[in-house]
Amino acid sequence: MTEPPQPPNQPPAPSGYSHLPGPPQPGYGTPPQGANPYAQPPTQPMAQPGYGYPPPVPPAPGAPQGPVPGGPRGRRTAVIAAAAAAGVLLAGAGAFFVFAGDGGDDPKPAAQSAPPAAPQPTGTPDKGDGSGNGSGAAEDLNAGRKQGEDKALWLKTVKIDGPGSGVDSGGQWVVGDTVVKSIWKDLVAYGAADGKEKWKLSFPTQICSVTRQTTADAKTVVMYKDGESESAVCNQMRLVDLKAGKEGWSKEVPKEGLFDIMTSPTLGIAGDTVAVSRSGTASAFRISTGDKLFGSDGAEGCKPGAYVAHRTKMIAIATCYDDNLTTEVSDADPVTGKKTWTYRLPAKHKVTSVHSLDPVILDVGNEEKKERAIVVLGPDGKQRTTVSGEGTFETECTNGLFRSVEVCETSVVDQNTLYMPTSPGIGKANEIVAFDLATGKAKWRTPAGDGRTLTPIRAENGQLIAYRRATPDQGGEVVAFPAAGGNPTALLRSPSGTAAPVEAAFYKPKIDYVGGRLYLSTALLRAQGTDEKLLMVFGK
């Protein structure tokens, strides 16, 4: 097997690249609507295709819809260790990444059946006014709670009459004793213990981009459109103090050249810097003042098309205008944008996802040849290893069409270990796999069990914290796995009974576990003038 050509002055590219079947068809995996109005997953646009793929063909009327835009996962890719099972020859010990399928034609999604009808909560929730003021009755949600289970503290519902395509509600931040949620044109803060509204900020137009990240003092940047028309552009930024519930500076993102069309910008925060990446162009601004720090136009050498920022780190993903439009990755100082190392990908390979910035872990691929690998870089930008393991992994995490790459929410790194979830089959359980970053090999894996799904949340204090999704008759769980592997410890058990089908219907929710409370919220609302669940909170 021939490996991709090597750029000059670089370590060898990951071995084990192979010619693989095409991507699965879109529209895969969303269960149809259930009977309970509080348990219905919203109708959702199609998921983000992989780097370099054309937008998917819309599904036929009535067909199951794809994942929420702003949800953490996109097309499934596979990491296969056993070459014999795949019928190909691997060179060396590198990872072998394939699109889901068995070769030949694109695989077809399996038929999906509707989930069991969920029982209606026995009480009558406060209907709300379209701004997130509705609240499910806590005593009703805890009907049928079993011994040893914790409580559903409150359920927030909304009624919005909006555009036919639905409205975005992807922002969720937990700050002290407050949880803040974005709802179309508003940010609304609720008391974590009781769900009572604490403050509300309204924007002139719809909120079009947020980041889960904040500064150390709980400030973040939110983007909104420059008008109400269909041609309006997502180019307005505003600073928000999530702790105080107050707005700071507002400004328009200046264009970086003639071809800066501000399509679907992605935000990331590193220290006092917010990066705004969009359609091959990127800029960085000082959060405290709103002043521009650097951008694509002023960069030396290859043009950065995205700045990926997380916590204190930032990298630039740039395009070099040579014959192959080679992709170059480098570190970027969050204040100056200057780089100290550069990693050049093999010809025609792109970065499709970023799993971590500390260390830098990249999902790279060649769309033309259907090649894929997860590459781990050292502090000097040199390739350290590649990750390999058996299973089908959800490794593409770009949110929505045309959005720039960002750090995957469900990829967790701690103490030289990468934790990744496998993609669950329909009605089947998934696994979390722990990879040793020194060797790239799997250290351990643990199944969710009983058709459940495990989602990593974060790693801390030598443990991996994960959420085991609810089923219509069993509540979810927050569990802690020892970093060395072994049986998990349950940190919180959601109640069965009335609450379970409501919790189970949060399809690929935004998840936070902070201060002993579990927060689940939807990322998209139908906005068709009927009650919809927005946010559910569990605790002791």
Side-chain angles (χ1 to χ4, degrees):
M1 180 183 309
T2 302
E3 296 203 8
Q6 302 302 306
N9 302 320
Q10 289 293 322
S15 55
Y17 283 91
S18 301
H19 182 74
L20 305 168
Q25 292 189 0
Y28 191 98
T30 306
Q33 174 174 317
N36 184 347
Y38 302 103
Q40 295 168 353
T43 302
Q44 298 152 353
M46 303 307 299
Q48 159 76 8
Y51 194 104
Y53 287 99
V57 178
Q65 302 294 300
V68 174
R73 302 179 284 260
R75 184 194 306 104
R76 305 186 306 164
T77 57
V79 189
I80 309 297
V88 296
L89 176 65
L90 298 188
F96 172 43
F97 290 74
V98 303
F99 292 103
D102 57 358
D105 296 335
D106 290 350
K108 305 298 188 292
Q112 301 181 56
S113 58
Q120 180 85 9
T122 55
T124 302
D126 178 6
K127 298 299 182 182
D129 60 2
S131 299
N133 293 322
S135 177
E139 62 271 21
D140 296 325
L141 289 172
N142 286 295
R145 183 166 66 100
K146 299 175 182 178
Q147 184 176 3
E149 294 177 340
D150 297 304
K151 298 177 182 179
L153 300 181
W154 48 273
L155 168 67
K156 198 63 61 174
T157 64
V158 292
K159 183 190 290 184
I160 296 176
D161 189 5
S165 58
V167 300
D168 187 85
S169 59
Q172 176 175 295
W173 304 266
V174 180
V175 180
D177 61 353
T178 301
V179 54
V180 184
K181 184 68 184 163
S182 69
I183 312 171
W184 196 14
K185 300 179 181 180
D186 301 321
L187 294 185
V188 186
Y190 306 102
D194 55 16
K196 292 182 179 179
E197 183 176 313
K198 301 181 73 171
W199 55 260
K200 175 180 174 182
L201 295 177
S202 295
F203 288 70
T205 59
Q206 72 182 70
I207 295 169
C208 50
S209 187
V210 298
T211 173
R212 296 288 297 275
Q213 304 167 56
T214 69
T215 61
D217 56 354
K219 293 182 175 66
T220 193
V221 174
V222 173
M223 295 191 71
Y224 57 99
K225 292 194 172 183
D226 63 358
E228 298 281 4
S229 69
E230 291 185 1
S231 60
V233 178
C234 184
N235 64 357
Q236 304 295 308
M237 290 191 301
R238 180 168 295 177
L239 177 68
V240 178
D241 185 332
L242 295 171
K243 184 178 294 185
K246 296 181 179 179
E247 301 169 315
W249 52 261
S250 297
K251 71 177 299 177
E252 181 174 316
V253 178
K255 286 191 173 183
E256 300 268 352
L258 294 175
F259 300 103
D260 187 357
I261 56 176
M262 289 300 301
T263 301
S264 301
T266 298
L267 298 173
I269 289 175
D272 192 33
T273 298
V274 59
V276 183
S277 304
R278 66 275 182 186
S279 299
T281 307
S283 311
F285 303 85
R286 192 181 301 277
I287 295 174
S288 54
T289 63
D291 296 336
K292 182 179 175 180
L293 295 171
F294 52 88
S296 295
D297 264 4
E300 297 181 359
C302 304
K303 178 186 176 183
Y307 292 115
V308 183
H310 190 66
R311 295 177 181 166
T312 61
K313 304 290 186 179
M314 180 182 288
I315 62 171
I317 302 175
T319 299
C320 305
Y321 290 96
D322 51 23
D323 292 342
N324 294 313
L325 294 177
T326 305
T327 297
E328 182 180 276
V329 178
S330 64
D331 63 335
D333 184 286
V335 177
T336 66
K338 295 188 179 300
K339 57 189 176 184
T340 61
W341 58 258
T342 297
Y343 175 77
R344 183 165 288 201
L345 274 61
K348 298 186 178 180
H349 283 68
K350 307 294 182 185
V351 177
T352 57
S353 299
V354 177
H355 298 286
S356 169
L357 294 187
D358 188 16
V360 175
I361 305 177
L362 308 173
D363 185 340
V364 304
N366 182 327
E367 180 273 334
E368 183 178 299
K369 296 183 178 180
K370 306 300 181 286
E371 297 171 348
R372 188 71 91 230
I374 294 180
V375 179
V376 182
L377 304 184
D380 55 1
K382 293 182 179 179
Q383 183 177 312
R384 178 180 171 191
T385 188
T386 58
V387 173
S388 62
E390 185 177 352
T392 303
F393 292 83
E394 298 187 341
T395 58
E396 292 186 7
C397 336
T398 304
N399 294 332
L401 291 174
F402 310 118
R403 286 191 182 273
S404 298
V405 295
E406 53 193 319
V407 176
C408 300
E409 291 182 6
T410 58
S411 298
V412 174
V413 175
D414 183 50
Q415 295 181 350
N416 203 39
T417 303
L418 168 65
Y419 303 95
M420 292 178 63
T422 62
S423 299
I426 296 174
K428 296 181 180 179
N430 80 331
E431 297 178 309
I432 289 179
V433 183
F435 293 97
D436 187 328
L437 295 179
T439 65
K441 302 300 182 182
K443 297 166 61 177
W444 54 263
R445 59 178 63 224
T446 184
D450 299 326
R452 307 285 287 274
T453 302
L454 277 168
T455 302
I457 299 175
R458 66 178 180 273
E460 62 182 17
N461 301 323
Q463 294 181 316
L464 171 69
I465 310 299
Y467 171 63
R468 179 179 281 122
R469 186 180 175 185
T471 65
D473 57 1
Q474 188 175 2
E477 289 183 305
V478 178
V479 294
F481 293 93
N487 294 326
T489 301
L491 303 179
L492 184 145
R493 290 189 174 99
S494 304
S496 303
T498 303
V502 183
E503 180 186 2
F506 278 89
Y507 179 72
K508 291 188 176 180
K510 297 293 182 181
I511 305 170
D512 280 300
Y513 178 69
V514 181
R517 297 188 182 100
L518 170 66
Y519 302 82
L520 302 176
S521 72
T522 187
L524 185 85
L525 295 165
R526 281 193 180 93
Q528 296 177 357
T530 59
D531 276 317
E532 301 177 73
K533 58 179 174 45
L534 173 74
L535 175 62
M536 197 171 190
V537 181
F538 303 86
K540 299 294 185 179

